[in-house]
Amino acid sequence: MAKPKFIQPSVTFTQELKRRIDAYFVDNNIDKTGNGKLFSKAIILMSLLALVYIHLVFFTPPTWLAVVETLILSSIVAAIGFNVMHDGGHGSFSKNKTLNKFAAYSLDLLGGSSYMWNMKHNVIHHTYTNVDGYDDDIEAQPWMRMSPTQKKMKMHKYQHVYFWFFYCLLYFAWIFQADFKKYFTKKIGLIEIQKMNAADHFSFWAGKALFAAVFMVIPIFKLGFVTWIIGFGIFLAFTGLLIAMVFQLAHVVEDCNFVKAAAQVNSDAEIIEDEWTQHQLKTTANFATNNKVVNWFTGGLNFQVEHHLFPRISHVHYPEISKIIKQVCAEYNVRYNEYRRTREAIMSHVRYLRYMGTAPQL
Ligand SMILES: [Zn+2]
């Protein structure tokens, strides 16, 4: 099937937005990619990962400390994903292409395939945000229903209660099931993935083997199977929960739209009844952008509006360019979704899931 198309822009809003953002970087004489602060943050996070891992695996801390350190390890892994891998994948971590590749490969060390991430996230999610059947991020059927066009089941009535459990499974499912499903079916949702060359196949399997060696074989050998499986379970669950919550608060809240591409007469390419920029603004929300801890931890993923409009600009610039984007949105009377606090976004997510649990199917 041909990929869906967006309506072509008819307003000057998009051009004006791009013009002012470009002017900001020219006037201030700064690159759109990451800066020294981001590089040092990457080094700090990778060093912390190594330190906590070595202490946990080779120095056998007492049980209570091991649990605390495992939770810290999960937070560091999530932070590397948000801050380093995500920018690297978008090519915004650095001006240097090799550095971007290394930043993106951090995902393979942490269990996920960077090749599949590039397809799923950069190509599909960023184009078809919240489009049912295309955006893999809103696909958790039959367990959860996130879009009104998805099939409703009786258990969805309770999804606003049990979603925590499924979010804890996200990381586990991602690295042990979803990547392999994509690899063997050669598809993500309705879209076929780009043909993999020999290097892509190698990086896929080498990444999986490296993760298995570092996070499974060595700890089992050093700690014993029972201790490892408990620690590994806590590690996967907490990492999954952190990642899922940050993803979900950006797109699956009450203020965001969910759409379905429509069939066209005389064409097998479906159409999305919107212009791309407007679509991104309608399907995306920010949260807690004034909270320095959230900003630091989520690597600007709480500035998701800025990220979806300008995915090739590093997140270190989002606080500044968000002022420009808000201004242009206000001038053109265009919607800009934002939750002031994290807890407001979480409450909105829970309310949306409860609503979607019983809302009629479209
Ligand atoms: Zn992204």
Side-chain angles (χ1 to χ4, degrees):
M1 192 156 80
K3 292 176 185 170
K5 292 185 166 52
F6 286 94
I7 289 176
Q8 289 306 303
S10 54
V11 287
T12 55
F13 168 71
T14 305
Q15 291 151 357
E16 181 60 14
L17 198 57
K18 282 188 180 147
R19 192 189 66 73
R20 285 205 220 169
I21 295 297
D22 284 341
Y24 165 79
F25 286 98
V26 173
D27 293 348
N28 291 285
N29 196 21
I30 43 176
D31 291 321
K32 291 180 176 175
T33 46
N35 52 20
K37 249 187 181 173
L38 178 58
F39 306 147
S40 45
K41 189 175 182 181
I43 291 167
I44 291 169
L45 286 171
M46 293 308 274
S47 311
L48 282 175
L49 176 76
L51 280 176
V52 176
Y53 173 86
I54 290 168
H55 195 248
L56 259 174
V57 176
F58 295 97
F59 291 85
T60 333
T63 309
W64 71 267
L65 186 57
V67 172
V68 172
E69 286 187 16
T70 305
L71 297 176
I72 293 172
L73 190 74
S74 287
S75 311
I76 297 167
V77 164
I80 290 173
F82 300 148
N83 289 272
V84 183
M85 177 282 277
H86 183 234
D87 272 32
H90 279 294
S92 65
F93 181 77
S94 158
K95 271 197 293 190
N96 183 316
K97 279 191 178 163
T98 314
L99 259 186
N100 280 324
K101 269 202 174 149
F102 270 106
Y105 279 144
S106 64
L107 180 60
D108 295 273
L109 166 70
L110 302 174
S113 160
S114 56
Y115 182 87
M116 293 304 167
W117 173 261
N118 181 37
M119 291 291 134
K120 166 198 154 73
H121 183 79
N122 301 359
V123 179
I124 300 174
H125 169 69
H126 270 278
T127 312
Y128 302 117
T129 317
N130 282 5
V131 180
D132 185 22
Y134 291 94
D135 185 358
D136 198 46
D137 284 13
I138 56 162
E139 180 52 62
Q141 298 182 87
W143 313 111
M144 292 186 64
R145 180 179 187 234
M146 292 186 227
S147 169
T149 47
Q150 292 175 347
K151 191 167 183 275
K152 188 172 68 173
M153 296 172 81
K154 273 199 178 134
M155 65 175 166
H156 295 147
K157 209 157 69 173
Y158 308 104
Q159 65 174 2
H160 64 289
V161 179
Y162 67 64
F163 75 96
W164 299 101
F165 173 72
F166 281 96
Y167 291 1
C168 287
L169 294 180
L170 173 104
Y171 189 38
F172 174 78
W174 175 356
I175 60 186
F176 289 108
Q177 187 259 337
D179 272 349
F180 291 102
K181 188 181 168 196
K182 292 177 175 86
Y183 183 85
F184 287 111
T185 61
K186 301 183 178 72
K187 274 176 97 177
I188 298 177
L190 297 167
I191 294 181
E192 283 182 22
I193 60 171
Q194 240 169 47
K195 203 167 156 39
M196 296 172 84
N197 61 27
D200 299 329
H201 285 290
F202 176 79
S203 79
F204 181 90
W205 290 106
K208 294 292 178 191
L210 182 65
F211 176 78
V214 174
F215 287 89
M216 298 164 81
V217 179
I218 296 173
I220 291 173
F221 183 70
K222 290 299 296 177
L223 306 167
F225 185 79
V226 175
T227 308
W228 165 76
I229 194 95
I230 296 169
F232 193 56
I234 296 172
F235 167 67
L236 290 179
F238 193 52
T239 309
L241 182 64
L242 291 173
I243 296 172
M245 285 314 289
V246 171
F247 287 174
Q248 296 294 66
L249 298 189
H251 301 290
V252 187
V253 283
E254 292 162 301
D255 287 350
C256 291
N257 287 10
F258 292 81
V259 298
K260 182 113 183 138
Q264 288 189 96
V265 185
N266 300 331
S267 169
D268 71 338
E270 294 178 313
I271 190 145
I272 293 160
E273 303 277 357
D274 216 338
E275 185 242 314
W276 184 84
T277 313
Q278 300 279 353
H279 175 83
Q280 297 304 323
L281 284 159
K282 287 175 192 168
T283 54
T284 307
N286 284 356
F287 66 92
T289 51
N290 289 323
N291 185 324
K292 287 207 162 67
V293 178
V294 174
N295 292 350
W296 192 89
F297 177 65
T298 64
L301 288 179
N302 56 333
F303 283 91
Q304 195 80 198
V305 172
E306 285 63 32
H307 178 56
H308 267 258
L309 293 174
F310 298 98
R312 294 188 67 82
I313 293 179
S314 170
H315 73 266
V316 296
H317 306 294
Y318 292 164
E320 280 307 311
I321 67 168
S322 78
K323 295 172 194 163
I324 302 169
I325 294 173
K326 262 187 199 168
Q327 176 67 29
V328 181
C329 283
E331 286 171 21
Y332 283 79
N333 208 10
V334 169
R335 182 163 130 194
Y336 183 101
N337 295 327
E338 182 162 40
Y339 293 89
R340 276 173 40 80
R341 294 172 195 278
T342 309
R343 65 169 177 271
E344 286 169 16
I346 294 175
M347 291 311 291
S348 180
H349 177 57
V350 174
R351 280 196 302 270
Y352 178 76
L353 287 179
R354 187 169 59 194
Y355 167 72
M356 211 27 63
T358 53
Q361 193 181 330
L362 300 179

